Amino acid sequence: MSACLDIANLSAVLPNGQRVLRSVSLAVQPGEVRALVGESGAGKTMIGKAVLGVLPSSVRLVEGDMLLEGEDLGRLQPKARRTLIGARTALIPQDPLTALNPSRRIGPQMTDRLVRILGWSGEKADRRTRQLLDEVQIRDPERVLKSYPHELSGGMRQRVLIAAAFAAEPRLIVADEPTTALDVTVQKQILRLIAALQREHGTAILFVTHDLGVVAKISQKVSVLYAGKVVEEADTAALFAAPQHAYTRALMAATPRYTDPFASLKPVDGAVLAGLAAEIAAADLAWRRPHG
Amino acid sequence: MLLQRFLIRLLTMLITLFGVAIVVFVVIRVAPGDPIAMMLPPGATDDDIARLRALYGLDKTIVQQFFIWLSGVVRGDFGTSISLRQDVLGLVFNRLPATLELAIVALIMAVAIGGTTAVLGARERGTAVEAGIDIASGAALSIPDFLWGLVLILLFGVLVPIFDISGRVSPQLDLPFATQFYFFESLLRLRFDLTWDLLKHMLMPAVALALPLAAIISQLLKQSLKEVLDLDYVVLARVKGFSETQVILREALKNAALPTLTLVGVQFTFLIGGTVIVERLFSYEGLGNMAIDAVINRDLPLIQGIVLVFALLFVLINLVVDMMYALLNPRLRHG
């Protein structure tokens, strides 16, 4: 059985030639949650955007393959790729406050993909949407569907976006820090909700986060990123039991703990970062030679 | 609540019009030029002048004249034109439809050209297409409407004479119209032969008026579209599988149109101001053309009537823009 998502050797550069993704390889098996963890700027969101075909225009993919259920995204015509991505994937965005169109009602925003891309009847799409709103524990779907985004709270909007993501039964969902913009009490509910829906629907998730606590709760596999490079990948349980890479260990040591709130916050160890920087510089030099 | 807001709005409109009335009334009486001197032959005696002055009520103080005029206006009597010796209100209403038609056709053209180029430029952002649109809109904007009028007369009236350069309609035609809105009425009556003749007269002045406004709309709308196209909900729509054109039209356009709409309202009033010279240029029988005649003849009642009607138009346009703004922006609708 082929992987749901298979990224091999993916590199991306900025216009000035700087590499932002450094030969990234990772696979997500059907029904599996793979966490992408790293500091801001590590390129974890970039990987998600590359898969979904929504990279900013300044970022250019220079090598590597992305296979979505065996289909090579790089080889497809733009329209075919767009339709394939629309049919088989979905995005749970980071900030629910900006991810809904302020001038359109919630209902059409949830059903437009089902009707216009997947060709469902309006009635079927409507039924499906209500079912999903029920699954994300929205009690009054009637009111929510008729609302404009500004009439709902942040937590409600994220529930709507999660329901919309699962509505088309995608094979892969990219969750881009879906809890970061929410306040702490809501974060937990939303995380639990995503985990429950994921289990029920058997959807594979590429879960982008900077929070190791979230990684431990939701994922089976994890890739640790630094400066666009996968420094370690492992089963989540194995990673937490015995982190192999010095950077992973440093990242874990830098995570604040609720059990010891008065301990001072530690930054990631400088010596580890210096070692990583040298390693990456050497790799870049080696990479540039064949790539001009 | 809504009624209260409406009444406040109405009151401010009346105050604005009252202010305009005072300013116009005083300015045209203080400015040099005497309507009586224009009417009498060179050898007229002082006695003749005084008699005529009294006849038109110009021997009274400005304040007295103003209140006499105002009490007439309130009753719907704008006085009698000095040069044309006809009722001012009748003259204005006779010409206003021609100007409104011209301005509305120009506005529709400006929105169509500006909107299309903005959407196209935003879709092809960063390419040669966008650069071409930028250059074209820069050129359209830097040339004022009356100069466009001259350029168009030269191009399509003289070099390749396909349009008529003067008048509103060919004089030999029988016009079956009940209103002065010839163009719109010809469409409703399905008399497309007349529509075509009217259009051949109207097209060049309308294009001259439309081009600078089209350029402003194009630049501003393209800019706000490009800003909106980076927002999260637009990215989400792309992930859903929608094409860039669908994304622009369905997700971005309505939100990007809001800042443009306010500006279009203001610019539309400038466009109506521009009709004064452009109508003159094309001998188009509208209100603006008549305004110039009225000023040349120092026809005080007619100038006052025309300016007041223009002021009323401007106030109404602003009202419509505000209403459309609320309609497009759901966040303004309640509260």
Side-chain angles (χ1 to χ4, degrees):
Chain A
M1 187 170 186
S2 72
C4 179
L5 173 71
D6 194 353
I7 300 176
N9 223 15
L10 192 70
S11 288
V13 296
L14 293 175
N16 61 12
Q18 193 201 333
R19 274 211 291 178
V20 284
L21 293 181
R22 298 181 152 86
S23 307
V24 171
S25 296
L26 62 87
V28 186
Q29 300 304 323
E32 171 186 89
V33 179
R34 149 103 36 186
L36 279 180
V37 68
E39 300 168 68
S40 23
K44 46 194 195 304
T45 296
M46 200 77 79
I47 293 173
K49 286 191 167 166
V51 171
L52 299 175
V54 289
L55 280 175
S57 55
S58 57
V59 179
R60 199 162 50 88
L61 296 175
V62 285
E63 65 171 2
D65 298 308
M66 291 182 288
L67 273 65
L68 183 62
E69 297 196 301
E71 302 239 30
D72 189 339
L73 292 176
R75 268 168 229 261
L76 290 173
Q77 292 300 310
K79 185 170 187 308
R81 181 169 58 224
R82 213 169 55 223
T83 316
L84 184 76
I85 288 170
R88 305 234 183 124
T89 73
L91 169 67
I92 301 177
Q94 175 168 6
D95 187 352
L97 300 186
T98 57
L100 288 163
N101 188 332
S103 66
R104 296 178 64 203
R105 291 178 199 274
I106 299 290
Q109 294 198 58
M110 290 187 72
T111 54
D112 57 2
R113 181 216 315 249
L114 304 177
V115 174
R116 295 176 57 101
I117 301 294
L118 301 179
W120 293 19
S121 72
E123 195 191 339
K124 186 180 169 198
D126 195 53
R127 219 169 32 235
R128 178 79 183 144
T129 304
R130 278 160 204 271
Q131 185 193 335
L132 259 299
L133 284 179
D134 185 56
E135 285 187 38
V136 297
Q137 293 149 26
I138 284 179
R139 302 280 167 242
D140 44 358
E142 213 57 55
R143 181 183 73 86
V144 169
L145 288 172
K146 282 200 185 111
S147 300
Y148 285 99
H150 71 274
E151 295 164 333
L152 303 178
S153 69
M156 280 288 257
R157 287 190 229 183
Q158 194 59 298
R159 280 167 201 268
V160 164
L161 287 161
I162 290 167
F166 279 96
E169 290 293 349
R171 315 307 294 268
L172 174 75
I173 287 179
V174 175
D176 184 7
E177 307 228 22
T179 58
T180 308
L182 303 170
D183 67 69
V184 182
T185 49
V186 185
Q187 277 184 8
K188 249 190 197 156
Q189 301 169 11
I190 294 293
L191 203 60
R192 233 179 270 143
L193 198 61
I194 294 176
L197 264 81
Q198 188 272 332
R199 270 196 304 278
E200 219 162 284
H201 294 256
T203 318
I205 297 187
L206 188 63
F207 200 103
V208 173
T209 180
H210 63 266
D211 188 338
L212 283 166
V214 170
V215 173
K217 277 197 201 88
I218 200 158
S219 70
Q220 289 96 51
K221 296 275 177 59
V222 55
S223 298
V224 182
L225 277 145
Y226 181 80
K229 182 179 155 67
V230 179
V231 295
E232 178 166 6
E233 87 168 297
D235 286 351
T236 307
L239 185 95
F240 280 93
Q244 299 297 310
H245 198 280
Y247 176 70
T248 312
R249 284 195 295 272
L251 203 61
M252 284 181 181
T255 304
R257 282 168 206 292
Y258 292 112
T259 48
D260 189 7
F262 297 107
S264 59
L265 287 174
K266 273 184 290 186
V268 174
D269 187 2
V272 173
L273 292 185
L276 259 178
E279 195 182 306
I280 283 167
D284 272 3
L285 203 65
W287 183 79
R288 283 226 177 82
R289 242 171 256 140
H291 292 86
Chain B
M1 187 59 205
L2 207 65
L3 183 72
Q4 190 186 354
R5 263 164 60 186
F6 177 74
L7 287 177
I8 290 172
R9 192 68 206 232
L10 203 67
L11 194 67
T12 43
M13 279 169 64
L14 283 175
I15 293 171
T16 308
L17 291 177
F18 186 70
V20 170
I22 292 178
V23 171
V24 173
F25 201 87
V26 173
V27 165
I28 59 176
R29 278 171 178 71
V30 173
D34 184 352
I36 304 300
M38 306 286 292
M39 297 167 80
L40 289 169
T45 62
D46 286 353
D47 211 29
D48 293 335
I49 294 174
R51 216 154 12 95
L52 214 52
R53 233 172 233 296
L55 187 65
Y56 284 100
L58 296 173
D59 54 341
K60 300 191 172 68
T61 66
I62 289 187
V63 178
Q64 279 174 326
Q65 288 182 43
F66 181 72
F67 281 106
I68 291 170
W69 177 70
L70 194 67
S71 67
V73 168
V74 172
R75 282 180 278 115
D77 175 14
F78 282 68
T80 306
S81 157
I82 295 177
S83 59
L84 300 168
R85 300 199 166 72
Q86 288 178 47
D87 178 43
V88 166
L89 205 59
L91 285 169
V92 168
F93 279 146
N94 208 23
R95 288 290 190 99
L96 182 63
T99 297
L100 281 180
E101 278 189 346
L102 181 62
I104 289 169
V105 169
L107 178 69
I108 291 170
M109 279 171 32
V111 170
I113 299 170
T116 314
T117 52
V119 169
L120 190 67
R123 203 188 71 183
E124 307 293 328
R125 55 195 175 283
T127 67
V129 175
E130 193 197 1
I133 286 172
D134 284 345
I135 292 170
S137 69
L141 193 56
S142 53
I143 298 176
D145 46 17
F146 58 88
L147 207 56
W148 273 120
L150 290 174
V151 170
L152 291 170
I153 288 176
L154 198 63
L155 285 178
F156 301 112
V158 181
L159 292 177
V160 191
I162 45 174
F163 296 123
D164 292 291
I165 57 169
S166 138
R168 188 182 178 196
V169 66
S170 297
Q172 71 275 16
L173 291 176
D174 273 336
L175 301 177
F177 300 131
T179 67
Q180 294 294 320
F181 288 99
Y182 291 171
F183 184 70
F184 297 146
E185 203 180 329
S186 75
L187 288 173
L188 288 177
R189 285 175 186 266
L190 307 177
R191 287 291 306 272
F192 296 126
D193 52 325
L194 295 177
T195 308
W196 174 239
D197 186 76
L198 287 158
L199 203 61
K200 268 167 68 185
H201 286 84
M202 190 195 275
L203 208 58
M204 283 202 291
V207 168
L209 288 166
L211 278 178
L213 181 57
I216 293 174
I217 293 175
S218 177
Q219 287 183 355
L220 196 80
L221 186 60
K222 177 160 73 71
Q223 194 50 45
S224 26
L225 273 175
K226 280 164 75 177
E227 277 162 26
V228 172
L229 285 175
D230 286 335
L231 296 181
D232 289 350
Y233 61 82
V234 177
V235 172
L236 197 60
R238 288 196 194 107
V239 173
K240 285 176 182 172
F242 289 108
S243 73
E244 197 61 19
T245 310
Q246 284 173 317
V247 165
I248 291 176
L249 295 180
R250 290 164 51 83
E251 303 282 346
L253 192 57
K254 200 167 154 190
N255 295 309
L258 285 174
T260 315
L261 181 67
T262 320
L263 185 106
V264 169
V266 177
Q267 291 290 332
F268 184 49
T269 57
F270 289 163
L271 187 150
I272 290 180
T275 60
V276 172
I277 293 182
V278 170
E279 281 181 3
R280 189 66 169 188
L281 207 59
F282 289 90
S283 308
Y284 185 88
E285 292 119 18
L287 199 57
N289 205 349
M290 192 163 76
I292 292 186
D293 284 331
V295 170
I296 289 172
N297 293 322
R298 303 289 184 274
D299 193 337
L300 304 183
L302 190 54
I303 298 174
Q304 285 154 202
I306 292 172
V307 171
L308 213 57
V309 166
F310 270 129
L312 182 66
L313 267 183
F314 291 5
V315 170
L316 288 177
I317 289 166
N318 280 320
L319 185 69
V320 170
V321 168
D322 287 354
M323 275 159 46
M324 281 176 70
Y325 204 89
L327 208 68
L328 279 176
N329 190 346
R331 276 165 294 190
L332 282 182
R333 233 173 277 162
H334 338 269

